[in-house]
């Protein structure tokens, strides 16, 4: 089967590859390897040094590879053949995809999906956190499910910042400098075979936007880039930095994403049947599409109605203050000329005053343009990212919406996040294929069979993943502490610290204050008793970045760092620098417990806890976001209840007490209760429930079923299938 949406590209940088291994080129330029660990291992063997430095297949091929020993190595050649065969089979498959099977006809398409960030792999740092990782997982799953789909985003050559923490605990920021020639992306070609450029008018000049293609399995993602020689020195950096701080630069960025994205699709002859805005950063695509319709002779009202009819929007924050806003004057000055032509009504454009009216926030502040309100008013369907979030979001935005915001709870792409030892176990005992959650696997309801996972092997698989984490974390901490100038004896201690036998609790997320990363440190005496227990010790691994502008968040990092180096907690509390998808993989696969302590209801969903649970790691979390619906009573622990105290201090205190109580009376005793072989049987009962209750229900496969049936089909004008229930959660969501 042909790829569902094809985007022509120009050749990449010259890479010399022996003809027998030519398939490596195709594989390197398809992010399929991002969810196939064995494909990454193959590229690592091509050039181990280059791999260690970049973790990037294209970089490995670009280094001066010594091909002779590889060609002479029968094992390498056999692995290559096997992978290439699987890769080609993946691309060719999909003709019997779930939609056609279920509904008897092809899913209309394509769906255009816009997002400001994509977390596809750690080597392409065009994401900052959960939103990007969700977009990456959504894209990968669209490919797995053969959904006609095209992503649109920005190519940030300086990405998001890389974090180091200095010896005083201060977060330091450094921006990488990506050379697109080393990334798994190719320049997109226009109809004449030259590099595609699309224009975006800004005051007094026209910015020229280059387009790159990241191919994610069967799904292309278009990445827009203003760093081209045609642009002035002032405009080339528009797309350099993700979530750039300057407001005007940020507005330019979002105009390039929304307007440039529509124009890139048009230039490629791609005609989406549905436009999906994942978060409001891309909202100007709605204005651009209205402008097109008016330019073609339509009335402004009709144009906006038409745009609304086939657009859908996913909201990601519970409260209005968390959303993107611009000064209305700035929007009028910067975006006005672009949308209303020469500024006079009736000259074919969309009056900027109309755009500003549509972007009036719920607070009614006419001085602000609110991207979320604009998106909500101009989309036919919208959804929040968990059930609890839908309640909060509807309460916040009900004044401006005519249809309720649906709940489509987030999920994760299991093949990207489940460790190989666990995965092999699922395949062996449950007849499960994580690459094909929809087909045979779903039909066999493998989550009902987790009872078949034998205690001993389940525990061994977990311990293998935990050892990998220990090894990785020791290496990272050694580099960090050596850089701080720690004494050799301190560095030597690391060899015996982070022992896999010790109950290990992970906490990794953006350090925003509402996430309350410091909650566990509230009663230092009680914590010290826990971690120093000679028979049943506990250790913690923290990781996470704070936004460069978030001083209080950086303060939390400093506080935790200080404690981790202080006398009382040293050797039991660690903080890893530069949290990214790689660290996330090690942590969610290798810790025993995943702790999350947000202030309810401020966490819209969260997804790292889903990744952990799918690896058999137990969540210990406040009933917020996904955990409010994910907790079953026997698959982990709930901190606190569903009541929230308006007095934040009192709530924090109560939650801290409950956290200590759970650790002391539930988590620690259960973990250390072993049978004669050292296996924690009672613990493993919870592990099985964690796997069973999340592997389908919090998968992006289940999530995409819902997006298709509850949002995409209605927006595409296709009547809802009989078997679908419209507003209610799709029956498959109740499985598991
Ligand atoms: C999964 C992931 C996230 C999102 O996790 P939360 O649960 O929202 O904290 C953020 N960053 C990275 C690197 C991830 O892999």
């Amino acid at each position: 089967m042909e790829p569902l949406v094809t985007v022509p590209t120009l050749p990449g940088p010259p890479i010399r590859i022996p003809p027998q291994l030519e398939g490596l080129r195709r594989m390197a330029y398809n992010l399929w390897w991002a969810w196939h660990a064995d494909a990454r291992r193959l590229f690592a063997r091509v050039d181990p040094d280059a791999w260690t430095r970049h973790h990037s297949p294209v970089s490995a091929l670009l280094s001066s590879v010594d091909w002779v020993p590889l060609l002479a190595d029968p094992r390498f050649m056999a692995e290559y053949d096997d992978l290439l065969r699987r890769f080609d089979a993946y691309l060719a498959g999909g003709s019997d995809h779930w939609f056609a099977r279920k509904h008897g006809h092809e899913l209309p398409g394509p769906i255009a999906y816009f997002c400001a960030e994509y977390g596809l792999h750690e080597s392409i740092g065009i994401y900052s956190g959960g939103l990007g990782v969700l977009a990456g997982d959504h894209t990968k799953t669209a490919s797995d499910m053969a959904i006609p789909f095209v992503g649109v985003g920005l190519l940030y050559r300086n990405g998001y910042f890389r974090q180091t923490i200095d010896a005083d605990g201060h977060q330091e920021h450094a921006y990488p400098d990506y050379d697109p020639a080393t990334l798994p992306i190719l320049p997109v070609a226009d109809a004449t075979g030259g590099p595609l450029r699309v224009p975006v008018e800004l005051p007094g000049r026209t910015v020229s936007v280059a387009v790159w293609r990241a191919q994610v399995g069967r799904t292309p993602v278009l990445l827009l880039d203003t760093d081209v020689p045609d642009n002035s020195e002032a405009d080339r950096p528009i797309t350099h930095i993700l979530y750039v701080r300057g407001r005007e630069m940020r507005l330019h960025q979002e105009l390039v994403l929304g307007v440039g994205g529509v124009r890139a699709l048009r230039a490629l002859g791609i005609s989406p049947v549905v436009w999906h805005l994942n978060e409001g950063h891309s909202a100007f695509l709605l204005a651009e599409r209205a402008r097109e319709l008016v330019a073609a002779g339509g009335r402004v009202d009709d144009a906006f109605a038409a745009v609304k009819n086939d657009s859908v929007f996913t909201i990601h924050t519970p409260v209005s203050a968390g959303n993107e806003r611009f000064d209305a004057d700035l929007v009028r000055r910067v975006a006005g000329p672009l949308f209303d032509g020469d500024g006079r009504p009736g000259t074919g454009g969309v009056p900027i005053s109309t755009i500003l009216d549509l972007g009036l926030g719920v607070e009614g502040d006419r001085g602000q343009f609110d991207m979320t309100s604009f998106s909500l008013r101009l989309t036919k369907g919208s959804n929040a990212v968990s059930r609890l979030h839908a309640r909060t979001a509807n309460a916040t935005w009900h004044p401006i919406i005519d249809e309720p915001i649906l709940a489509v709870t987030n999920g994760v792409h299991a093949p990207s996040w489940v460790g190989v030892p666990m995965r092999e176990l699922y395949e062996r005992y449950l007849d499960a294929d994580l690459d094909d959650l929809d087909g045979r696997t779903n039909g066999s309801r493998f989550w009902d069979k987790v009872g078949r996972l034998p205690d001993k092997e389940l525990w061994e698989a977990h311990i293998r993943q935990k050892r990998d984490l220990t090894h990785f974390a020791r290496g990272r901490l050694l580099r960090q502490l050596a850089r701080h100038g720690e004494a050799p004896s301190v560095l030597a201690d690391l060899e015996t610290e982070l022992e896999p036998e010790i109950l290990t609790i992970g906490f990794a997320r953006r350090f925003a204050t509402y996430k309350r990363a410091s909650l566990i440190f509230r009663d230092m005496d009680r914590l010290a008793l826990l971690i120093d227990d000679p028979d049943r010790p506990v250790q913690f691994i923290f990781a996470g970045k704070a936004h460069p502008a978030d001083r209080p968040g950086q303060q939390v990092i400093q506080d935790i760092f200080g404690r981790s180096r202080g006398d009382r907690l040293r050797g039991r509390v660690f903080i890893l620098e530069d949290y990214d998808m790689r660290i996330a993989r090690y942590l969610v696969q290798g810790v025993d417990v995943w702790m999350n302590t947000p202030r309810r209801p401020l966490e819209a969903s969260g997804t790292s806890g889903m990744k952990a649970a799918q690896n058999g790691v137990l969540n210990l979390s406040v009933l917020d976001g996904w955990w409010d619906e994910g907790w079953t009573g026997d698959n982990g622990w709930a901190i606190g209840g569903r009541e929230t105290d308006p007095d934040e201090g009192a709530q924090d205190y109560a939650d801290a007490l409950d956290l200590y109580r759970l650790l002391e009376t539930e988590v620690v005793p259960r973990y250390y209760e072993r049978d004669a072989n050292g296996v924690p049987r009672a613990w493993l009962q919870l592990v099985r429930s964690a796997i069973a209750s999340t592997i389908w229900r919090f998968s992006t496969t289940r999530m995409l079923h819902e997006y298709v049936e509850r949002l995409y089909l209605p927006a595409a004008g296709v009547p809802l299938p009989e078997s679908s229930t419209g507003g209610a959660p799709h029956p498959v969501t109740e499985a598991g």
Side-chain angles (χ1 to χ4, degrees):
M1 182 167 141
E2 285 297 302
L4 300 147
V5 180
T6 344
V7 173
T9 55
L10 298 171
I15 303 177
R16 289 190 41 218
I17 301 176
Q20 303 93 307
L21 291 169
E22 182 55 35
L24 286 175
R25 188 191 313 269
R26 275 195 297 128
M27 279 202 277
Y29 281 100
N30 190 316
L31 280 125
W32 183 79
W33 51 257
W35 67 100
H36 291 88
D38 40 5
R40 294 198 297 276
R41 265 201 308 278
L42 190 80
F43 282 106
R45 288 186 58 197
V46 167
D47 189 328
D49 289 341
W51 184 265
T52 307
R53 264 177 287 125
H54 307 290
H55 295 273
S56 148
V58 174
S59 297
L61 294 184
L62 280 167
S63 62
S64 37
V65 181
D66 184 1
W67 294 106
V68 178
L70 293 173
L71 289 167
D73 178 348
R75 261 196 49 210
F76 179 86
M77 294 306 290
E79 275 171 36
Y80 163 78
D81 285 338
D82 176 54
L83 271 166
L84 188 62
R85 190 183 45 71
R86 280 166 46 211
F87 173 65
D88 283 332
Y90 177 86
L91 292 183
S95 49
D96 66 333
H97 54 80
W98 68 278
F99 189 84
R101 267 201 320 269
K102 181 167 171 189
H103 301 296
H105 64 93
E106 293 294 317
L107 177 62
I111 315 297
Y113 178 88
F114 281 63
C115 190
E117 48 170 314
Y118 286 85
L120 296 164
H121 185 255
E122 58 268 22
S123 63
I124 318 168
I126 57 170
Y127 66 95
S128 80
L131 178 69
V133 173
L134 179 75
D137 281 8
H138 193 124
T139 307
K140 291 170 183 174
T141 310
S143 166
D144 290 346
M145 292 168 71
I147 293 174
F149 191 89
V150 54
V152 179
L154 299 178
L155 179 69
Y156 303 101
R157 294 195 187 208
N158 301 114
Y160 194 60
F161 77 94
R162 305 288 302 267
Q163 175 199 53
T164 47
I165 300 173
D166 76 9
D168 296 319
H170 296 123
Q171 171 175 281
E172 300 171 316
H173 314 110
Y175 286 87
D177 194 0
Y178 291 111
D179 175 359
T182 66
L183 296 177
I185 58 175
L186 292 170
V188 172
D190 67 12
T192 68
L196 176 64
R197 296 283 185 269
V198 293
V200 175
E201 299 84 5
L202 293 179
R205 77 280 193 197
T206 297
V207 172
S208 175
V209 182
V211 186
W212 301 83
R213 186 198 72 183
Q215 187 67 30
V216 183
R218 303 178 180 110
T219 304
V221 177
L222 305 178
L223 297 173
L224 311 179
D225 174 16
T226 57
D227 191 352
V228 291
D230 329 358
N231 293 329
S232 75
E233 291 299 325
D235 289 331
R236 288 178 67 157
I238 289 175
T239 54
H240 275 184
I241 292 178
L242 174 55
Y243 302 139
V244 64
R245 280 173 74 176
R247 295 314 294 165
E248 189 156 350
M249 198 62 129
R250 176 83 72 94
L251 179 56
H252 290 165
Q253 224 171 49
E254 298 190 1
L255 286 165
V256 168
L257 176 61
V259 177
V262 173
R263 294 181 182 179
L265 292 170
R266 301 294 188 217
L268 291 165
I270 298 171
S271 307
V273 298
V274 175
W275 303 73
H276 182 177
L277 291 76
N278 191 39
E279 227 286 329
H281 298 109
S282 58
F284 289 116
L285 83 85
L286 302 163
E288 167 62 7
R289 292 181 53 223
R291 189 201 60 77
E292 287 178 333
L293 292 170
V294 174
R299 290 182 44 233
V300 172
D301 287 354
D302 296 342
F304 277 117
V307 166
K308 177 177 173 126
N309 210 32
D310 58 6
S311 301
V312 301
F313 172 58
T314 303
I315 188 166
H316 283 271
T317 44
V319 292
S320 174
N323 288 277
E324 181 92 301
R325 286 174 192 169
F326 291 101
D327 278 341
D329 285 337
L330 182 69
V331 177
R332 197 175 286 117
R333 177 166 62 78
V334 173
L338 170 56
F339 293 119
D340 64 3
D342 62 5
R344 282 179 292 123
T347 52
V350 176
I352 193 70
S353 56
T354 309
I355 292 177
L356 290 173
D357 286 347
L358 289 164
L360 185 64
V362 281
E363 294 86 356
D365 177 356
R366 296 215 155 259
Q368 298 277 310
F369 177 76
D370 184 288
M371 299 290 272
T372 301
S373 300
F374 186 70
S375 305
L376 280 170
R377 286 198 184 91
L378 285 178
T379 48
K380 174 162 171 160
S382 63
N383 73 288
V385 289
S386 71
R387 291 183 194 167
L388 178 60
H389 177 217
R391 290 212 295 277
T392 326
N394 278 304
T396 303
W397 277 283
H398 72 87
I400 63 165
I401 48 180
D402 38 42
E403 294 282 333
I405 298 170
L406 304 175
V408 177
T409 303
N410 282 345
V412 295
H413 182 244
S416 295
W417 298 106
V418 175
V420 172
M422 279 294 174
R423 190 182 169 141
E424 285 174 357
L425 220 55
Y426 302 164
E427 283 164 7
R428 180 139 31 103
Y429 289 98
L430 310 182
D431 190 27
D433 177 1
L434 297 190
D435 278 331
D436 182 24
L437 274 188
D438 243 320
R440 175 169 62 82
T441 313
N442 189 3
S444 75
R445 294 180 61 89
F446 74 95
W447 52 86
D448 288 340
K449 303 182 220 160
V450 289
R452 297 182 187 168
L453 293 170
D455 277 333
K456 186 159 168 296
E457 281 168 74
L458 185 56
W459 187 239
E460 278 168 5
H462 172 65
I463 291 294
R464 271 178 65 198
Q465 298 195 171
K466 201 170 172 187
R467 286 214 190 92
D468 287 345
L469 166 65
T470 301
H471 179 76
F472 171 77
R474 280 181 182 156
R476 283 291 185 110
L477 288 163
L478 186 72
R479 290 218 305 273
Q480 275 172 229
L481 296 178
R483 211 187 60 232
H484 291 167
E486 289 284 3
S489 63
V490 174
L491 302 182
D493 285 347
L494 270 176
E495 283 169 35
T496 53
E497 286 168 353
L498 277 172
E499 285 296 338
E501 285 69 36
I502 300 178
L503 170 59
T504 305
I505 300 182
F507 180 103
R509 45 192 42 82
R510 186 161 52 87
F511 281 108
T513 47
Y514 80 84
K515 307 236 186 194
R516 299 189 301 183
S518 301
L519 200 68
I520 186 74
F521 302 112
R522 213 174 154 107
D523 185 337
M524 286 291 279
D525 294 331
R526 219 163 152 181
L527 177 61
L529 280 177
L530 261 173
I531 68 169
D532 288 335
D533 187 308
D535 301 318
R536 305 186 310 180
V538 182
Q539 61 193 358
F540 291 85
I541 306 179
F542 287 84
K545 297 174 175 180
H547 189 274
D550 181 5
R551 297 282 162 188
Q554 291 168 34
Q555 195 61 50
V556 176
I557 293 177
Q558 190 175 11
D559 174 56
I560 296 174
F561 178 83
R563 292 179 197 272
S564 77
R565 305 308 302 152
D567 288 339
R568 298 194 74 180
L569 305 182
R570 189 159 67 211
R572 288 281 190 267
V573 175
F574 303 89
I575 180 161
L576 293 172
E577 294 174 341
D578 204 26
Y579 183 48
D580 67 354
M581 290 176 73
R582 182 150 180 259
I583 298 188
R585 267 202 314 279
Y586 277 107
L587 286 174
V588 299
Q589 293 173 7
V591 298
D592 300 296
V593 172
W594 196 249
M595 182 172 76
N596 192 18
T597 52
R599 195 173 279 134
R600 184 181 146 108
L602 295 181
E603 178 108 303
S605 166
T607 51
S608 55
M610 305 172 184
K611 302 169 193 167
Q614 292 190 357
N615 278 286
V617 169
L618 301 180
N619 278 271
L620 167 62
S621 175
V622 169
L623 287 169
D624 198 8
W626 80 280
W627 192 234
D628 185 58
E629 68 199 81
W631 181 58
T632 57
D634 69 350
N635 62 350
W637 298 274
I639 304 166
R642 293 194 162 88
E643 248 71 315
T644 30
D645 194 320
D647 176 350
E648 282 186 355
Q651 183 70 52
D652 293 355
Y653 180 69
D655 287 346
L657 286 186
D658 204 40
L659 173 57
Y660 292 124
R661 178 189 67 80
L662 285 168
L663 285 169
E664 290 160 355
T665 64
E666 309 258 348
V667 182
V668 173
R670 220 189 241 247
Y671 182 82
Y672 284 107
E673 184 195 321
R674 303 297 169 99
D675 71 6
N677 300 312
V679 175
R681 305 181 81 104
W683 182 271
L684 291 175
Q685 266 320 108
L686 301 184
V687 167
R688 283 193 194 83
S689 301
I691 296 164
S693 60
T694 56
I695 205 124
W696 167 261
R697 187 160 166 201
F698 296 99
S699 67
T700 30
T701 312
R702 184 275 308 154
M703 181 185 90
L704 267 163
H705 276 267
E706 289 201 57
Y707 273 108
V708 167
E709 299 194 334
R710 301 176 64 200
L711 288 144
Y712 297 162
L713 287 183
V718 178
L720 269 186
E722 282 287 306
S723 55
S724 229
T725 48
H730 188 269
V732 292
T733 61
E734 303 306 332

